Amino acid sequence: MSTETEKISPKGRHVSPNFITEVIDGDLQQGRYPKVVTRFPPEPNGYLHIGHAKSIALNFGLALDYRGECNLRFDDTNPETESREYVEAIKRDIQWLGFRWARECYASDYFERLFECAVQLIRDGAAYVDSLSEEEISTYRGTITEPGRPSLYRDRTVTENLDLFARMRKGEFPSGAHVLRAKIDLRSPNMKLRDPVLYRIVHASHYRTGDAWCIYPLYDFAHPLSDAIEGVSHSICTLEFENNRAIYDWLVEHLRGKCGLPASPRPYQYEFARLNLDYTVLSKRKLIKLVEDGHVKGWDDPRMPTIAGLRRRGVTPEAIREFANRIGVAKANSRVDLATFEAAIRDDLNYRAPRVLAVLRPLKVVLTNLPEGNVEELQAPYWPHDVPNEGSRAVPFSGELYIERDDFREHPPKGFYRLIPGGRVRLRHAYVIRCDDVVKDAAGNLVELRCTYDPATLGRAPAGGPVKGTIHWVSARHGVRAEMRLYDRLFRMADPEAGDGDISASLSPESLTVVEGYVEPSVLHDPPELRYQFERLGYFWRDPADASPKRLVFNRIVSLRDSWAKREGRGRV
RNA sequence: UGCGGGGUGGUCUAAGGGAAUGACGCCCGGCUUUGGACCGGGAAACUCCAGGUUCGAGUCCUGGCCCCGCAGCCA
């Protein structure tokens, strides 16, 4: 038995099967829609984050899988919080993620039509102008356990309502003086159905329509009708809108075939669980606060879960899409392990990042048997044997090197197989060295290591038995100094929103560690956007904002899996 | 508690009356000039609970329990 989908896209789906694809398969089989039309409906009042990426991957992915289309629609019905800057940022982020919309739409383009719809509702006796105060409306709405009571304005005549609504539009009333409400059911057990507000008066200019309007539709009114106008077939949103679906259906059923809205097919709303990711927050409000309170350096701070932040961090769009695919789509509230995201990032970078040598926390090593000034150019492959790419570069080797401080232990724990006093270790792509002396200053601090290298060990096993470890290094004279920004989880707690109150208390002091390190000189000839694996350390790339030809600044995108650190009981550092 | 949703290994997620899937994580082994990657193996869910229907139930029925959402003129 082959479904429509299988015919269209037998393999390599963008969206793995879920409860929504099942609905679509059924709808297509029943011939309910000529094609699948979805939409991604951001409000331009903030930046997109990884949670939005899940929704974007779903909506655009479905359009791709079913050869349908996905519109980008800005839900710009609240002039007080929205701006063109956000529109541009959102468009850039979606494109960067690799998706293309069929049409760029704006709820604000429908304002006139939406107004007509509202008038139609009034004519049908299905909406009325209410003149209660905001507080009164709230009181009259009742509570979860008590039914609401009708406003004394609920029975205004159609003529009166029409007149009032027209005057609202004309600007005869101050902000908040009146609202338009749907006449549904004040006793409904569904709070959303207790005569929801459709329009409010807001004397504020809109970033697109300027001062053409002083009444603006609310989400509950604009959203379903925008879907209908655009011919959306499957309107996908998150779980918190489940109750709003009743309004959605009520409006679409009342107005389909009227005011230029197609009678059929009509759109239906489906809800899925939004993404929660460990050790971060994904609510616009909280993200804004992090920026405003200066806990991070901006929307594109590499610690932020925003698309802009991830992009600057160095995460690729492919990794984000792969992540979205791995976590799936369902209706159960959930919280995704950070490791899932990191694994997707590493899997992507593993085959695209050439390996180079860099040292984060330098410890000097002097090779006593290598004449000073003697420099050898070693040829080092960019790729390990298991990555099917070719290429190599020359790496200068000399008598003074830097190695990682972590790779030497005077008193090694058991299982440590890097450099120890009197011990040997392999220098990656180079020779085996032995540590002869440990030099310390008066205070007892480690200053340098004096070692001898074995010239017979280049590309060959050493005499006297194999060495256990291989460590990375950089020639002291040739290494290029670089600022290394080591990023870690933003919050200390998996669910920063769990406790009550201030999120900032659980911010991790280790979310950013800056060190001054060295990187091999070959990187100076590379394109700046190249992502590397600094061997044994992690994936890095130049910070696109702060790095310059004069000043190298690297961001750690993600560390390597480190089973030694895990065994030692430390996290990444 | 009125209504709407949801509960499957540590974490996500499949399965739609017929031997509980995959991924991440974890453990063991192999390989390795990255303690990475890769390869092999393993532990891990009596599918929230209690009944019922059935030859057979994660799937159907009944009754509970727990979690999330809804009382903005935000979206």
Side-chain angles (χ1 to χ4, degrees), chain A residues 27 57 74 81 117 186 203 213 224 262 353 410 431 434 441 448 500:
Chain A
D27 286 346
F74 290 97
T81 59
C117 288
L186 284 159
H203 288 277
W213 295 86
E410 196 168 5
Y431 303 91
R434 180 182 36 244
D441 64 16
E448 67 176 40
D500 24 82

Side-chain angles (χ1 to χ4, degrees), chain A residues 22-324:
Chain A
E22 275 179 37
V23 169
I24 295 176
D25 290 338
D27 286 346
L28 257 21
Q29 260 165 29
Q30 301 299 312
R32 279 195 266 262
Y33 298 99
K35 68 175 163 187
V36 171
V37 181
T38 58
R39 100 273 90 113
F40 175 65
E43 183 189 11
N45 70 344
Y47 283 75
L48 262 25
H49 55 66
I50 185 80
H52 293 111
K54 175 180 180 181
S55 172
I56 289 167
L58 212 211
N59 280 293
F60 285 90
L62 288 172
L64 252 13
D65 285 349
Y66 290 93
R67 302 265 165 96
E69 43 191 61
C70 179
N71 296 335
L72 169 59
R73 182 174 69 235
F74 290 97
D75 241 323
D76 53 354
T77 57
N78 187 349
E80 294 180 306
T81 59
E82 298 155 2
S83 78
R84 181 151 266 131
E85 287 64 53
Y86 288 121
V87 168
E88 295 310 317
I90 287 167
K91 286 166 65 176
R92 188 194 57 213
D93 287 350
I94 296 170
Q95 284 173 321
W96 178 78
L97 281 171
F99 296 104
R100 304 289 174 263
W101 46 88
R103 285 186 285 157
E104 180 178 330
C105 309
Y106 293 81
S108 53
D109 280 344
Y110 312 140
F111 280 173
E112 191 62 50
R113 182 107 69 113
L114 261 16
F115 180 82
E116 287 168 28
C117 288
V119 168
Q120 180 66 239
L121 248 24
I122 294 173
R123 288 209 180 97
D124 293 345
Y128 62 98
V129 172
D130 198 355
S131 308
L132 252 27
S133 70
E134 193 169 346
E135 203 185 322
E136 286 168 324
I137 287 179
S138 173
T139 309
Y140 277 59
R141 185 151 31 220
T143 69
I144 248 162
T145 47
E146 312 155 37
R149 291 172 292 130
S151 158
L152 48 155
Y153 303 105
R154 197 170 195 260
D155 294 320
R156 289 216 253 233
T157 64
V158 169
T159 322
E160 197 177 354
N161 282 319
L162 250 16
D163 173 64
L164 248 16
F165 191 49
R167 290 166 60 199
M168 281 168 65
R169 176 179 183 171
K170 271 192 234 157
E172 291 187 16
F173 309 111
S175 297
H178 308 281
V179 293
L180 183 75
R181 293 229 257 170
K183 192 184 277 189
I184 305 182
D185 179 7
L186 284 159
R187 307 180 59 90
S188 172
N190 179 353
M191 295 293 295
K192 296 287 183 193
L193 252 23
R194 321 252 261 222
D195 287 12
V197 175
L198 269 20
Y199 266 90
R200 78 284 215 188
I201 300 171
V202 181
H203 288 277
S205 55
H206 186 280
Y207 76 100
R208 289 187 82 242
T209 59
D211 296 319
W213 295 86
C214 63
I215 57 172
Y216 293 91
L218 277 92
Y219 167 88
D220 279 323
F221 186 70
H223 199 86
L225 301 181
S226 299
D227 283 345
I229 289 168
E230 290 167 20
V232 167
S233 58
H234 302 265
S235 180
I236 303 165
C237 63
T238 44
L239 256 27
E240 66 268 31
F241 294 103
E242 281 171 328
N243 294 335
N244 301 248
R245 190 177 61 231
I247 304 178
Y248 190 105
D249 290 334
W250 185 89
L251 280 167
V252 171
E253 285 306 320
H254 268 76
L255 291 164
R256 59 194 291 195
K258 298 177 185 170
C259 303
L261 302 189
S264 77
R266 55 151 288 191
Y268 281 92
Q269 174 182 303
Y270 304 91
E271 310 88 15
F272 72 100
R274 70 181 326 136
L275 171 68
N276 290 296
L277 226 207
D278 277 353
Y279 300 105
T280 192
V281 291
L282 293 180
S283 91
K284 247 185 236 174
R285 222 194 84 244
K286 286 172 181 133
L287 258 12
I288 287 171
K289 190 134 172 60
L290 289 176
V291 174
E292 284 178 350
D293 294 354
H295 295 301
V296 295
K297 288 169 187 139
W299 284 103
D300 69 341
D301 186 302
R303 292 168 291 184
M304 291 283 274
T306 51
I307 302 301
L310 295 170
R311 174 170 53 229
R312 181 167 171 189
R313 172 97 165 235
V315 175
T316 68
E318 289 80 4
I320 294 174
R321 283 190 252 131
E322 173 61 18
F323 170 67

Side-chain angles (χ1 to χ4, degrees), chain A residues 498-552:
Chain A
D500 24 82
D502 64 335
I503 299 306
S504 62
S506 55
L507 244 12
S508 168
E510 281 152 13
S511 62
L512 171 60
T513 304
V514 180
V515 298
E516 210 43 47
Y518 292 91
V519 60
E520 62 168 80
S522 72
V523 301
L524 262 13
H525 310 296
D526 293 327
E529 70 281 3
L530 189 64
R531 292 166 175 85
Y532 300 97
Q533 183 194 104
F534 288 173
E535 293 212 39
R536 305 209 309 132
L537 295 171
Y539 295 97
F540 291 74
W541 83 327
R542 290 170 177 76
D543 184 275
D546 296 343
S548 73
K550 286 193 190 145
R551 174 63 176 159
L552 283 179

Side-chain angles (χ1 to χ4, degrees), chain A residues 396 402 474-481 518-521:
Chain A
Y402 291 120
V474 171
S475 170
R477 208 172 85 213
H478 309 273
V480 185
R481 278 175 72 91
Y518 292 91
V519 60
E520 62 168 80

